[in-house]
Each structure stands twice: as C-alpha cells, then as structure tokens.
Amino acid sequence: MPPRTAERPRARIEHAAHGRIRVRIAKGDRDPEEIERIRSHVAELDAVDEVHVNQRTGSILIHSSNGPKVRAGLQTVLDLAPFERQAETQVNALVAAVKLGDDRLKAASKGRVSLRWVVPAAFFTIGVRQLMNTGFTIGTVPWYVLLYYGADSFLKLYPEHAPATKQGVRSEPQ
C-alpha cells in the first residue's frame, strides 16, 4: 500500500457490486472540507455516474458502469486498502473464531465433544423434533432438510466416514 500523505486520506472498499462501490473513509480523515474534496475528485473520475456522501459515517457510495476503472481512479484520490485482502481477513477472522470456540468446547468436555460432532447432532435433533411436531408435512423448515444438513455436515466434517466411491476412493469434502 502506498504511504499515506496529506493528499491521500485512508479508506477501504466496504462493498462492491455491479454498478455500485461503497468506500469508507477512516475516522481521522472525515473533516467536512476533506470529505467534500474527496467527493469532488471522485465525481470527476471517468465512468462515475453519481456520488453520494454521508459525512457522519464517512461513507461514499459511487454509482458506475465501469467498476475497475473507478477503482483505479480511487487509488489516485485515496490511500485505498485492497478489497480482496479485506475479504480474506474477514474469512480468516471467522475461521479463527470457530476454531477458538471448538477449542473451548473440547477443553470444557475434556476432549469428548467438539463442534465437528455438535453441529451435525444439532441438525439431526432439530430435524427429528420437526418431524415429530409436524409429521411428514412441509413446514417452514422441513424435517428432511434438517436431516439432510445433519448428514451432509457430518460427512464433510468427518470425511473418513464418507462412503467409498466405485474406485474405492472416499469422497472428499468440497
């Protein structure tokens, strides 16, 4: 990432979809004059159709038909953190949180229980409960869907129990 200068406030892309990009300006760079300067520079970029600014939250919503061109232009206006790195960081944080929860559950149960067992068991239990309450009718969440999720999550979390294929190789989780 390029070094931060007075002319390039820190920002990150919060969301990008077809036709829209939302950028969030860092809290320290949100004074009214700076936000207006950023808005006017972004509005002048090629391929930008509309720019909406929320001064309080530091949010800049950009409507455009050419996202890659706008992203390249934003790099010249802002000290912009890469979008892909943020998404990867969020996934890594979620995985770390699940692993921490699993470790705590294992420690509390002295190694007898883990999330690899609890998640499928919960789906099976809820599926059987739904079946007993509603019978074979299709309700909001049908019992057979919950039973399927229970079996599927068990086989993905314990691939060694997956049925062997015709070649004798077990199917791997995706």
Side-chain angles (χ1 to χ4, degrees):
M1 181 162 34
R4 181 175 184 273
T5 65
E7 295 116 29
R8 292 172 48 121
R10 292 171 295 146
R12 70 179 187 272
I13 295 176
E14 291 241 327
H15 175 74
H18 181 69
R20 297 170 43 126
I21 298 174
R22 183 175 304 278
V23 176
R24 181 87 53 198
I25 305 299
K27 286 184 181 181
D29 295 323
R30 291 184 188 169
D31 66 83
E33 295 84 22
E34 188 64 27
I35 293 284
E36 178 54 32
R37 186 184 74 75
I38 293 167
R39 190 207 58 75
S40 66
H41 280 301
V42 170
E44 292 173 2
L45 293 173
D46 288 341
V48 170
D49 301 327
E50 273 184 88
V51 179
H52 301 280
V53 175
N54 183 325
Q55 171 70 41
R56 186 176 51 81
T57 64
S59 173
I60 301 174
L61 178 62
I62 304 161
H63 292 275
S64 170
S65 57
N66 189 341
K69 194 169 188 178
V70 171
R71 282 188 193 189
L74 286 173
Q75 289 289 352
T76 64
V77 177
L78 302 167
D79 183 8
L80 198 61
F83 179 69
E84 293 77 17
R85 188 178 311 152
Q86 292 174 28
E88 182 179 306
T89 302
Q90 292 168 349
V91 169
N92 290 340
L94 179 61
V95 168
V98 170
K99 284 183 179 179
L100 178 63
D102 190 38
D103 291 342
R104 288 183 177 174
L105 182 60
K106 284 179 187 174
S109 67
K110 297 183 173 128
R112 291 181 295 221
V113 180
S114 75
L115 287 179
R116 289 176 64 187
W117 182 87
V118 170
V119 170
F123 279 122
F124 274 120
T125 303
I126 294 169
V128 169
R129 179 184 168 274
Q130 190 80 356
L131 173 63
M132 295 176 78
N133 286 343
T134 63
F136 288 101
T137 63
I138 297 177
T140 305
V141 180
W143 61 270
Y144 54 86
V145 171
L146 294 168
L147 290 178
Y148 169 80
Y149 286 157
D152 184 58
S153 61
F154 177 82
L155 292 175
K156 286 184 177 171
L157 294 170
Y158 288 99
E160 63 271 14
H161 295 292
T165 62
K166 291 187 181 193
Q167 293 86 13
V169 179
R170 294 190 188 280
S171 46
E172 292 294 321
Q174 297 178 2

